[in-house]
Amino acid sequence: MEFQVPQHLSHPVDAVFVAYRDRLVELTPYLEEVESIEVVERREDGGKTYLTNRWRAKPSTVPTVVRPFMPKHALSWLDRAVWDPAARTCAWEYELGTTPGLVRCSGINYFRAREGGGSTLEITGRLAVDLRAIHVPLIFRGAGSHVESYLVGRVRPNLERVGPAVERWLTDQRES
């Protein structure tokens, strides 16, 4: 299932790009469902930045009735990204802390200058669920599309929050 999250920000594109890439950990207080973001690896090569970040969601994001059964690693994911400043793009993929191969989520973020000032952040992605990874009987494998719809419904709002978090962080930095 494909998704797209366009956002218009008042700050210049270069500032948005750099803040999103280099200050993500500092954005945590602006992301209400995120407990922490940790830089696992960062390297520069050929003008590009390769980042691996571990995100942890707050336990409060899980329905109360499910929390006792939810392993802590299920609330985390790795975000592997390649940042290309020349193209102003970020190609990313998530590795969920749950069963490997169950969910594949990847995409590209496009950072563009807006005419008249400000910038546009367009997050595009694809999410796929492979129920074979958890050995679901063949008869239920058609449910994968329903699971994808549900997960996109959970992932999309989180992606929608990052642009405004960058916006607020940049505004706070300018004012301090």
Side-chain angles (χ1 to χ4, degrees):
M1 174 172 279
E2 295 185 3
F3 57 89
Q4 184 175 6
V5 180
Q7 299 180 327
H8 300 293
L9 307 174
S10 64
H11 294 279
V13 67
D14 290 332
V16 170
F17 183 87
V18 169
Y20 201 143
R21 182 190 64 197
D22 299 338
R23 301 298 190 182
L24 194 58
V25 171
E26 296 171 45
L27 298 179
T28 305
Y30 299 87
L31 298 166
E32 65 187 49
E33 293 190 355
V34 176
E35 183 174 271
S36 65
I37 302 170
E38 169 195 0
V39 177
V40 175
E41 178 184 13
R42 180 186 178 113
R43 67 182 174 86
E44 312 284 329
D45 187 20
K48 296 180 182 176
T49 302
Y50 296 80
L51 277 169
T52 301
N53 294 315
R54 180 176 314 282
W55 294 63
R56 283 187 173 63
K58 291 181 179 173
S60 60
T61 62
V62 177
T64 307
V65 71
V66 178
R67 285 182 204 159
F69 310 104
M70 182 71 69
K72 187 169 181 144
H73 70 273
L75 294 175
S76 72
W77 62 96
L78 287 178
D79 169 14
R80 291 187 175 89
V82 179
W83 291 82
D84 183 346
R88 288 192 185 129
T89 60
C90 171
W92 54 269
E93 65 180 20
Y94 290 163
E95 177 185 313
L96 301 183
T98 57
T99 307
L102 176 61
V103 177
R104 291 181 313 280
C105 189
S106 61
I108 300 177
N109 296 356
Y110 299 92
F111 298 80
R112 298 184 180 104
R114 261 190 18 225
E115 216 172 293
S119 56
T120 298
L121 166 60
E122 183 180 357
I123 301 171
T124 64
R126 178 171 177 70
L127 186 140
V129 174
D130 185 355
L131 294 179
R132 293 176 298 187
I134 55 172
H135 309 292
V136 171
L138 185 58
I139 193 168
F140 295 114
R141 290 201 185 141
S145 63
H146 296 292
V147 175
E148 287 172 0
S149 294
Y150 169 78
L151 289 174
V152 166
R154 295 289 299 156
V155 168
R156 184 184 174 102
N158 288 322
L159 293 172
E160 289 173 340
R161 290 181 184 108
V162 178
V166 170
E167 181 91 1
R168 289 191 312 273
W169 185 86
L170 285 168
T171 298
D172 287 352
Q173 296 306 302
R174 185 175 55 204
E175 292 174 358
S176 58

